[in-house]
PDB file of all heavy atoms in Angstrom:
ATOM      1  N   GLY V1220      20.764  10.501 -19.482  1.00 96.00           N
ATOM      2  CA  GLY V1220      20.013   9.581 -20.311  1.00 96.00           C
ATOM      3  C   GLY V1220      19.232   8.574 -19.486  1.00 96.00           C
ATOM      4  O   GLY V1220      19.062   8.736 -18.270  1.00 96.00           O
ATOM      5  N   PHE V1221      18.778   7.513 -20.158  1.00 97.00           N
ATOM      6  CA  PHE V1221      18.013   6.456 -19.499  1.00 97.00           C
ATOM      7  C   PHE V1221      18.940   5.297 -19.146  1.00 97.00           C
ATOM      8  O   PHE V1221      19.784   4.881 -19.961  1.00 97.00           O
ATOM      9  CB  PHE V1221      16.891   5.955 -20.415  1.00 97.00           C
ATOM     10  CG  PHE V1221      15.724   6.895 -20.514  1.00 97.00           C
ATOM     11  CD1 PHE V1221      15.671   7.850 -21.515  1.00 97.00           C
ATOM     12  CD2 PHE V1221      14.688   6.829 -19.593  1.00 97.00           C
ATOM     13  CE1 PHE V1221      14.596   8.712 -21.610  1.00 97.00           C
ATOM     14  CE2 PHE V1221      13.610   7.700 -19.674  1.00 97.00           C
ATOM     15  CZ  PHE V1221      13.563   8.645 -20.683  1.00 97.00           C
ATOM     16  N   TYR V1222      18.725   4.756 -17.945  1.00 97.00           N
ATOM     17  CA  TYR V1222      19.548   3.656 -17.458  1.00 97.00           C
ATOM     18  C   TYR V1222      18.666   2.481 -17.030  1.00 97.00           C
ATOM     19  O   TYR V1222      17.518   2.660 -16.605  1.00 97.00           O
ATOM     20  CB  TYR V1222      20.394   4.092 -16.258  1.00 97.00           C
ATOM     21  CG  TYR V1222      21.497   5.052 -16.604  1.00 97.00           C
ATOM     22  CD1 TYR V1222      21.246   6.419 -16.714  1.00 97.00           C
ATOM     23  CD2 TYR V1222      22.799   4.609 -16.823  1.00 97.00           C
ATOM     24  CE1 TYR V1222      22.256   7.317 -17.026  1.00 97.00           C
ATOM     25  CE2 TYR V1222      23.829   5.501 -17.130  1.00 97.00           C
ATOM     26  CZ  TYR V1222      23.543   6.847 -17.237  1.00 97.00           C
ATOM     27  OH  TYR V1222      24.552   7.734 -17.551  1.00 97.00           O
ATOM     28  N   SER V1223      19.256   1.297 -17.117  1.00 97.00           N
ATOM     29  CA  SER V1223      18.654   0.091 -16.570  1.00 97.00           C
ATOM     30  C   SER V1223      19.550  -0.415 -15.444  1.00 97.00           C
ATOM     31  O   SER V1223      20.780  -0.397 -15.572  1.00 97.00           O
ATOM     32  CB  SER V1223      18.527  -0.985 -17.655  1.00 97.00           C
ATOM     33  OG  SER V1223      18.280  -2.257 -17.066  1.00 97.00           O
ATOM     34  N   PHE V1224      18.931  -0.842 -14.341  1.00 97.00           N
ATOM     35  CA  PHE V1224      19.687  -1.450 -13.243  1.00 97.00           C
ATOM     36  C   PHE V1224      19.110  -2.819 -12.972  1.00 97.00           C
ATOM     37  O   PHE V1224      17.961  -2.954 -12.545  1.00 97.00           O
ATOM     38  CB  PHE V1224      19.627  -0.588 -11.981  1.00 97.00           C
ATOM     39  CG  PHE V1224      20.428  -1.155 -10.837  1.00 97.00           C
ATOM     40  CD1 PHE V1224      21.804  -0.958 -10.780  1.00 97.00           C
ATOM     41  CD2 PHE V1224      19.821  -1.881  -9.835  1.00 97.00           C
ATOM     42  CE1 PHE V1224      22.551  -1.486  -9.733  1.00 97.00           C
ATOM     43  CE2 PHE V1224      20.549  -2.403  -8.784  1.00 97.00           C
ATOM     44  CZ  PHE V1224      21.925  -2.212  -8.729  1.00 97.00           C
ATOM     45  N   ASN V1225      19.899  -3.868 -13.251  1.00 97.00           N
ATOM     46  CA  ASN V1225      19.460  -5.245 -13.039  1.00 97.00           C
ATOM     47  C   ASN V1225      19.607  -5.600 -11.561  1.00 97.00           C
ATOM     48  O   ASN V1225      20.712  -5.529 -11.011  1.00 97.00           O
ATOM     49  CB  ASN V1225      20.282  -6.197 -13.905  1.00 97.00           C
ATOM     50  CG  ASN V1225      19.749  -7.617 -13.848  1.00 97.00           C
ATOM     51  OD1 ASN V1225      19.916  -8.310 -12.856  1.00 97.00           O
ATOM     52  ND2 ASN V1225      19.107  -8.037 -14.926  1.00 97.00           N
ATOM     53  N   VAL V1226      18.503  -5.966 -10.917  1.00 98.00           N
ATOM     54  CA  VAL V1226      18.512  -6.225  -9.479  1.00 98.00           C
ATOM     55  C   VAL V1226      19.328  -7.467  -9.153  1.00 98.00           C
ATOM     56  O   VAL V1226      19.987  -7.533  -8.104  1.00 98.00           O
ATOM     57  CB  VAL V1226      17.066  -6.363  -8.959  1.00 98.00           C
ATOM     58  CG1 VAL V1226      17.053  -6.747  -7.485  1.00 98.00           C
ATOM     59  CG2 VAL V1226      16.293  -5.060  -9.175  1.00 98.00           C
ATOM     60  N   THR V1227      19.327  -8.453 -10.035  1.00 97.00           N
ATOM     61  CA  THR V1227      20.051  -9.697  -9.776  1.00 97.00           C
ATOM     62  C   THR V1227      21.557  -9.510  -9.899  1.00 97.00           C
ATOM     63  O   THR V1227      22.323  -9.871  -9.012  1.00 97.00           O
ATOM     64  CB  THR V1227      19.587 -10.798 -10.738  1.00 97.00           C
ATOM     65  OG1 THR V1227      18.178 -10.981 -10.622  1.00 97.00           O
ATOM     66  CG2 THR V1227      20.295 -12.120 -10.445  1.00 97.00           C
ATOM     67  N   SER V1228      21.997  -8.921 -11.007  1.00 97.00           N
ATOM     68  CA  SER V1228      23.433  -8.771 -11.261  1.00 97.00           C
ATOM     69  C   SER V1228      24.025  -7.498 -10.672  1.00 97.00           C
ATOM     70  O   SER V1228      25.251  -7.342 -10.647  1.00 97.00           O
ATOM     71  CB  SER V1228      23.689  -8.798 -12.767  1.00 97.00           C
ATOM     72  OG  SER V1228      23.114  -7.646 -13.393  1.00 97.00           O
ATOM     73  N   LYS V1229      23.173  -6.577 -10.207  1.00 96.00           N
ATOM     74  CA  LYS V1229      23.604  -5.272  -9.685  1.00 96.00           C
ATOM     75  C   LYS V1229      24.350  -4.454 -10.751  1.00 96.00           C
ATOM     76  O   LYS V1229      25.199  -3.626 -10.430  1.00 96.00           O
ATOM     77  CB  LYS V1229      24.505  -5.432  -8.449  1.00 96.00           C
ATOM     78  CG  LYS V1229      23.991  -6.392  -7.402  1.00 96.00           C
ATOM     79  CD  LYS V1229      22.650  -5.990  -6.844  1.00 96.00           C
ATOM     80  CE  LYS V1229      22.174  -6.954  -5.768  1.00 96.00           C
ATOM     81  NZ  LYS V1229      20.791  -6.676  -5.324  1.00 96.00           N
ATOM     82  N   LYS V1230      23.998  -4.651 -11.994  1.00 96.00           N
ATOM     83  CA  LYS V1230      24.688  -3.979 -13.087  1.00 96.00           C
ATOM     84  C   LYS V1230      23.832  -2.853 -13.647  1.00 96.00           C
ATOM     85  O   LYS V1230      22.657  -3.033 -13.944  1.00 96.00           O
ATOM     86  CB  LYS V1230      25.000  -4.985 -14.198  1.00 96.00           C
ATOM     87  CG  LYS V1230      25.747  -4.384 -15.384  1.00 96.00           C
ATOM     88  CD  LYS V1230      26.003  -5.437 -16.460  1.00 96.00           C
ATOM     89  CE  LYS V1230      26.713  -4.820 -17.658  1.00 96.00           C
ATOM     90  NZ  LYS V1230      26.940  -5.828 -18.737  1.00 96.00           N
ATOM     91  N   GLU V1231      24.444  -1.687 -13.804  1.00 96.00           N
ATOM     92  CA  GLU V1231      23.780  -0.532 -14.402  1.00 96.00           C
ATOM     93  C   GLU V1231      24.213  -0.401 -15.861  1.00 96.00           C
ATOM     94  O   GLU V1231      25.407  -0.495 -16.178  1.00 96.00           O
ATOM     95  CB  GLU V1231      24.134   0.741 -13.639  1.00 96.00           C
ATOM     96  CG  GLU V1231      23.407   1.982 -14.146  1.00 96.00           C
ATOM     97  CD  GLU V1231      23.810   3.242 -13.402  1.00 96.00           C
ATOM     98  OE1 GLU V1231      25.018   3.582 -13.443  1.00 96.00           O
ATOM     99  OE2 GLU V1231      22.951   3.877 -12.777  1.00 96.00           O
ATOM    100  N   THR V1232      23.224  -0.185 -16.745  1.00 96.00           N
ATOM    101  CA  THR V1232      23.499  -0.098 -18.176  1.00 96.00           C
ATOM    102  C   THR V1232      22.857   1.151 -18.749  1.00 96.00           C
ATOM    103  O   THR V1232      21.678   1.420 -18.495  1.00 96.00           O
ATOM    104  CB  THR V1232      22.947  -1.336 -18.920  1.00 96.00           C
ATOM    105  OG1 THR V1232      23.508  -2.516 -18.346  1.00 96.00           O
ATOM    106  CG2 THR V1232      23.287  -1.275 -20.404  1.00 96.00           C
TER     107      THR V1232
END
Side-chain angles (χ1 to χ4, degrees):
F1221 285 92
Y1222 290 83
S1223 165
F1224 182 81
N1225 187 286
V1226 175
T1227 303
S1228 66
K1229 313 300 181 187
K1230 181 181 178 182
E1231 184 182 60
T1232 303

